[in-house]
Amino acid sequence: MALVPPLSLTFTVRRCKPELVAPAKPTPKEIKQLSDIDDQEGLRFIVPLIHIYPNEPSMSGKDPVKIIRQALAQTLVWYYPFAGRLREGSDRKLMVDCTGEGVLFVEADADVRLDEFGDTLQPPFPPLLYDVAGSQAIVDSPLLVIQVTRLKCAGFIFAMCVNHIMTDATGIVQFLNAFAEMARGAKEPSNTPVWCRDLLSARNPPRVTCNHREYEEVSDYTNSNDNEMVQKSFFFGPIEIAAIRRLVPPNLKKCTKFEVITACLWCCLTKALQVNPEEDVRMMYVINARARLNPPLPIGYYGNVFAYPAAITSAEKLNKNPFGYTVELIKKVKDEVSNEYMHSLADFMVSKGRPLFTTVRSFIVSDVTRAGLKEVNFGWGKAVYAGVAKTGAGDFHSITFFNSYRNTKGEEGTIIPISLPAKAMMRFVKELDDMLENQNQPLMNGQYPKFSTSKL
């Protein structure tokens, strides 16, 4: 179901000057090495997250900005690498210089109530995270940027940009839970952070023992004039999932919701982008490998511990075969990630110069619905929305995050933001509509909220 934002809404966000928040106590000044899973080219980007909290009567009179700023300083005592800066050494190897400089923090106020946004809280959101000059850089820049925006209703919006080199979804939630514990009065996190990034560094000498086709070099012969990118969010609830499952053959009935949604997206995206029949298309599926490592990583490890193996087939086969063919490809690729696969991947990164994953006719999906983002409680209870603020964009490259969501009917489901060229998006909506048997109608008509910003 394509989600449409509320009717036109105008509001102003007034921001204070960004400040650096340093650890509340002195922390070690040292260089910390990242793993060879951490510093690959494909993770050298900033992840924008947003948490939206309604008014909580028990917190009446308490300022979320003050509480969160103070808790941040306390949390950085334990997670002090976040207060440092990335440096690049020989062979493009990144490391963390634990300088204690701090992370960027922005205090803000918006002249709008949460209920004015309507019932459809979904990405892309208005930019309620200040784009501080230079803060999107990977090296020699703050590793976190946080903005807390008070709303007129006494609710607030917590927005954060985090450098993906430092952590994955599991690690982000671990950090945020520690952060939230401090905001609720704890003196130390219940889960002590562990660095130990050498556990996922390349072996000596490197031994690439697995196929890593997600990094293959592929030629792109596309000459598209459709450069206008648009983003829409799509809701997959019980009705939509049931419609897709009707296409799954009996021998695959035990497939997961994530698998069937991914298969559905892959089919619809390939048709929408009008890929030539003989060309290969890739669906890269982010797999959390923590449970697949032997010996297991220590509790509290917050580095990147995932891979995105690629399911590959031709556009013609994807378009002409029954839906079960696509589901089987996705189920099969999930089984590729093992303990040896992860160590082979680290070796591959060192051997091949930390390459970028294949972006030509490729899609990446990541399921963060079970990461625990909505459970992060700074004292105001659970967030009414928690997840990525926007998705990646590109002619054939899309990083799509699955977020937990409850629609206006009270149905629990998954919301998926997708960026595509404008004409391709129109075709995608039609393809998805056809697959779901015309059940994915927009919730309402409207436009994205309009807003202005000013400095205090």
Side-chain angles (χ1 to χ4, degrees):
M1 178 177 289
L3 301 178
V4 182
L7 296 174
S8 181
L9 173 67
T10 301
F11 65 95
T12 300
V13 178
R14 301 174 65 239
R15 300 185 179 97
C16 294
K17 183 179 179 181
E19 60 179 302
L20 281 173
V21 174
K25 298 178 181 178
T27 54
K29 300 296 190 291
E30 58 186 359
I31 299 292
K32 282 193 170 292
Q33 297 295 329
L34 292 154
S35 80
D36 290 311
I37 301 293
D38 288 325
D39 72 347
Q40 56 184 290
E41 180 66 30
L43 298 186
R44 299 185 184 203
F45 69 97
I46 306 300
V47 180
L49 298 171
I50 192 164
H51 287 66
I52 302 176
Y53 295 93
N55 176 32
E56 169 51 52
S58 66
M59 300 297 284
S60 178
K62 296 184 179 180
D63 181 5
V65 171
K66 181 179 179 181
I67 289 173
I68 290 174
R69 183 197 287 117
Q70 182 177 351
L72 175 59
Q74 294 170 330
T75 307
L76 289 175
V77 174
W78 298 88
Y79 287 86
Y80 64 89
F82 277 120
R85 301 292 183 266
L86 289 182
R87 313 295 187 205
E88 189 171 71
S90 59
D91 299 322
R92 303 181 65 243
K93 179 65 182 174
L94 294 178
M95 61 201 75
V96 185
D97 186 0
C98 299
T99 62
E101 292 175 70
V103 305
L104 273 178
F105 185 88
V106 182
E107 173 182 352
D109 290 275
D111 59 351
V112 65
R113 300 173 57 87
L114 181 55
D115 57 15
E116 293 180 73
F117 285 96
D119 296 324
T120 309
L121 295 171
Q122 39 136 348
F125 291 96
L128 289 160
L129 180 59
Y130 186 38
D131 186 11
V132 181
S135 65
Q136 297 293 308
I138 300 302
V139 177
D140 301 326
S141 293
L143 297 171
L144 292 174
V145 180
I146 293 171
Q147 177 172 316
V148 181
T149 305
R150 305 180 191 91
L151 304 176
K152 286 174 61 178
C153 58
F156 68 95
I157 296 175
F158 173 92
M160 179 174 76
C161 282
V162 57
N163 192 313
H164 206 329
I165 291 291
M166 293 291 290
T167 188
D168 59 11
T170 301
I172 289 172
V173 171
Q174 178 184 311
F175 168 78
L176 285 173
N177 280 330
F179 192 170
E181 287 174 338
M182 298 297 185
R184 300 196 309 271
K187 300 301 181 183
E188 60 183 48
S190 57
N191 189 359
T192 304
V194 174
W195 190 258
C196 293
R197 303 295 174 100
D198 59 297
L199 296 175
L200 284 174
S201 289
R203 295 170 287 200
N204 187 16
R207 305 189 302 275
V208 180
T209 56
C210 302
N211 290 324
H212 300 284
R213 297 194 64 190
E214 61 271 33
Y215 297 97
E216 287 181 335
E217 293 185 13
V218 178
S219 299
D220 185 7
Y221 302 106
T222 304
N223 292 312
S224 174
N225 295 320
D226 188 7
N227 296 319
E228 179 192 354
M229 300 301 297
V230 296
Q231 180 172 315
K232 292 183 180 293
S233 290
F234 297 85
F235 176 73
F236 289 79
I239 294 175
E240 291 76 22
I241 299 301
I244 302 172
R245 284 195 179 278
R246 284 195 288 271
L247 303 173
V248 179
N251 64 310
L252 295 174
K253 287 300 182 182
K254 292 184 179 180
C255 58
T256 67
K257 179 175 72 172
F258 185 42
E259 289 166 351
V260 297
I261 295 178
T262 300
C264 169
L265 292 176
W266 195 12
C267 291
C268 294
L269 286 166
T270 300
K271 292 177 180 178
L273 290 165
Q274 299 179 330
V275 180
N276 291 332
E278 70 279 4
E279 291 182 322
D280 283 346
V281 287
R282 282 169 166 74
M283 177 57 79
M284 293 182 282
Y285 191 110
V286 173
I287 304 292
N288 183 343
R290 281 173 168 79
R292 306 183 186 209
L293 294 175
N294 185 24
L297 294 171
I299 296 173
Y301 186 96
Y302 61 102
N304 290 285
V305 193
F306 68 89
Y308 26 76
I312 305 172
T313 189
S314 70
E316 182 177 34
K317 289 181 179 178
L318 197 71
N319 293 337
K320 291 187 175 181
N321 274 296
F323 186 66
Y325 170 80
T326 309
V327 175
E328 280 191 298
L329 286 175
I330 291 169
K331 287 181 68 66
K332 181 180 179 182
V333 80
K334 283 180 62 179
D335 296 333
E336 291 182 9
V337 179
S338 62
N339 181 69
E340 180 58 29
Y341 189 96
M342 294 302 293
H343 289 289
S344 174
L345 177 58
D347 295 345
F348 181 89
M349 286 295 132
V350 170
S351 301
K352 302 296 183 180
R354 299 178 178 83
L356 178 65
F357 47 77
T358 307
T359 61
V360 178
R361 299 182 298 278
S362 297
F363 314 102
I364 298 181
V365 293
S366 178
D367 183 6
V368 297
T369 57
R370 298 181 182 180
L373 287 166
K374 289 187 75 171
E375 281 66 47
V376 174
N377 177 8
F378 292 100
W380 279 260
K382 294 183 180 181
V384 292
Y385 176 87
V388 294
K390 61 181 180 179
T391 190
D395 287 344
F396 289 108
H397 166 223
S398 174
I399 299 178
T400 297
F401 293 87
F402 291 22
N403 300 290
S404 297
Y405 189 75
R406 184 186 293 274
N407 68 6
T408 54
K409 299 177 183 179
E411 298 173 326
E412 286 287 348
T414 302
I415 186 171
I416 304 171
I418 294 176
S419 291
L420 286 171
K423 294 178 182 177
M425 180 63 79
M426 294 175 62
R427 294 190 293 267
F428 175 79
V429 172
K430 181 182 183 304
E431 293 293 341
L432 184 60
D433 185 67
D434 290 343
M435 181 169 282
L436 299 181
E437 301 177 351
N438 299 313
Q439 295 178 55
N440 60 316
Q441 297 301 316
L443 294 180
M444 64 185 77
N445 293 319
Q447 301 173 347
Y448 289 108
K450 297 178 181 178
F451 54 92
S452 62
T453 60
S454 63
K455 295 180 180 179
L456 289 176

